[in-house]
Amino acid sequence: MPRRKGASAYRGQPANDPFIFTRKTVYMQRLGDAVRAGALHYISGTIPLAKVPFLVKKFAARYRINLGKIADHRARHAGEDVARWLGWYDEKTALVHWALFYFPGKTICREERWLNPFDARIRLTGYELVRITKKGAKAPVITWKYTREQYRWLHDQIVFSIRGRQDAVLDQLIFSLSKSPGFAGVREQVKGLWSIVKAEWKRVRSKHEPPPKIPPTLGYVRRLPDVGMPWSQLMKASKKGTKDEQETHEKPLAKRTRKARSDTLLLQPSTSSAAEEG
């Protein structure tokens, strides 16, 4: 049965073939949606792609997971508990990051060790979901920011690369940051890091050295459609990708056309957490 236009792809999928997101920014947006919808109980983790159906079926035996929008609304209005399972496939690690959100009804099921997203923040590859009050706003908003550890790491890498005259590293950091998902909290942090680049360059470098090019803006994250596929299709796609990769590695390596650069990284920038993957 074709999905109704505008309907969430993850809703109504059978537990043995759940929908899995393949774009991180969309997954982050859906996690925020769940908290905005009032999910104050959650658990999360990572799991190999092949084991996803076993996990989701275990939860489906306890909770009503990923009901259609109307059915979900009716159940909650009637005082019944419902749950929302969301998963994102990370190609770099071949793992699925998942979260189970629980909306208790008249009673609460304590089969899991539920966490509160405002007390134990949801984290994903160097980002965390937070509640902040923006300047001029009447109420707090739910958004994503870099974790304190990740922001400090990025700050230090910028300073080290400028002081160590490792301009290739700095350019890579700037490019990576320019690809950060444009959630409100992340945008403010990136603006702060741009200011650090300018101030540190002015303080350390000669006036005759041209400063690095910094993007004028970081785009906003608009409402994104669900991007992903059912688990069964993703399994086929991942197996095909693994086979193609193996065939590529079996071919003789082409001769290098230029000498490797000597200006190696002080610390390898964590581009998987600083940038949006597809």
Side-chain angles (χ1 to χ4, degrees):
M1 183 177 179
R3 183 162 54 95
R4 183 169 55 83
K5 186 177 180 181
S8 299
Y10 67 87
R11 291 185 182 273
Q13 279 291 121
N16 61 353
D17 196 19
F19 181 88
I20 298 177
F21 294 95
T22 54
R23 187 176 176 190
K24 183 169 72 174
T25 300
V26 180
Y27 177 64
M28 293 169 76
Q29 197 172 70
R30 298 300 175 270
L31 293 175
D33 290 346
V35 176
R36 288 187 200 93
L40 298 181
H41 302 80
Y42 86 96
I43 54 174
S44 62
T46 57
I47 191 172
L49 178 61
K51 295 184 178 181
V52 166
F54 303 101
L55 176 71
V56 180
K57 284 191 290 185
K58 183 187 78 170
F59 291 143
R62 299 175 182 172
Y63 316 105
R64 302 177 69 187
I65 292 179
N66 294 356
L67 297 176
K69 191 172 183 179
I70 295 176
D72 183 276
H73 176 76
R74 287 175 177 171
R76 293 172 63 186
H77 186 71
E80 301 174 7
D81 60 350
V82 296
R84 190 177 301 184
W85 187 90
L86 302 170
W88 163 62
Y89 178 62
D90 184 356
E91 288 186 346
K92 293 187 176 181
T93 62
L95 293 174
V96 172
H97 295 254
W98 61 269
L100 177 70
F101 292 97
Y102 178 57
F103 301 81
K106 296 176 181 177
T107 59
I108 184 170
C109 177
R110 301 190 181 278
E111 290 286 338
E112 326 298 338
R113 294 183 178 179
W114 301 114
L115 301 173
N116 184 300
F118 300 126
D119 297 331
R121 292 175 177 174
I122 300 170
R123 290 191 166 197
L124 182 72
T125 65
Y127 300 98
E128 61 183 1
L129 191 66
V130 298
R131 179 172 55 183
I132 62 173
T133 301
K134 296 166 62 175
K135 187 177 181 179
K138 294 182 180 179
V141 297
I142 305 297
T143 186
W144 288 88
K145 293 178 63 176
Y146 282 116
T147 64
R148 181 176 298 182
E149 298 84 1
Q150 181 69 9
Y151 185 85
R152 171 54 59 183
W153 186 87
L154 290 165
H155 171 278
D156 292 346
Q157 286 295 279
I158 288 170
V159 172
F160 294 158
S161 61
I162 292 174
R163 293 178 183 178
R165 298 186 176 277
Q166 296 203 35
D167 294 349
V169 178
L170 181 62
D171 289 342
Q172 186 177 349
L173 283 164
I174 291 173
F175 175 78
S176 179
L177 285 168
S178 72
K179 298 298 181 182
S180 300
F183 296 99
V186 175
R187 289 200 311 273
E188 289 303 311
Q189 289 178 308
V190 171
K191 288 178 185 177
L193 291 170
W194 290 160
S195 298
I196 291 166
V197 171
K198 295 174 183 177
E200 191 67 16
W201 188 276
K202 185 177 181 180
R203 192 180 74 82
V204 174
R205 297 299 188 90
S206 165
K207 294 181 180 179
H208 303 292
E209 293 181 273
K213 293 182 180 180
I214 295 176
T217 59
L218 181 66
Y220 290 80
V221 173
R222 294 178 173 82
R223 188 65 192 174
L224 301 170
D226 290 343
V227 179
M229 62 187 75
W231 170 83
S232 57
Q233 293 181 24
L234 188 55
M235 279 292 290
K236 292 177 182 177
S238 63
K239 286 179 180 179
K240 184 179 183 300
T242 303
K243 183 179 179 181
D244 291 343
E245 186 178 350
Q246 289 174 344
E247 290 176 352
T248 300
H249 284 305
E250 287 171 1
K251 295 178 181 179
L253 293 174
K255 293 183 179 179
R256 296 181 182 271
T257 56
R258 71 178 181 182
K259 206 170 184 180
R261 295 181 64 91
S262 59
D263 53 347
T264 54
L265 305 182
L266 292 166
L267 287 174
Q268 181 65 35
S270 179
T271 52
S272 63
S273 57
E276 156 60 12
E277 296 111 345

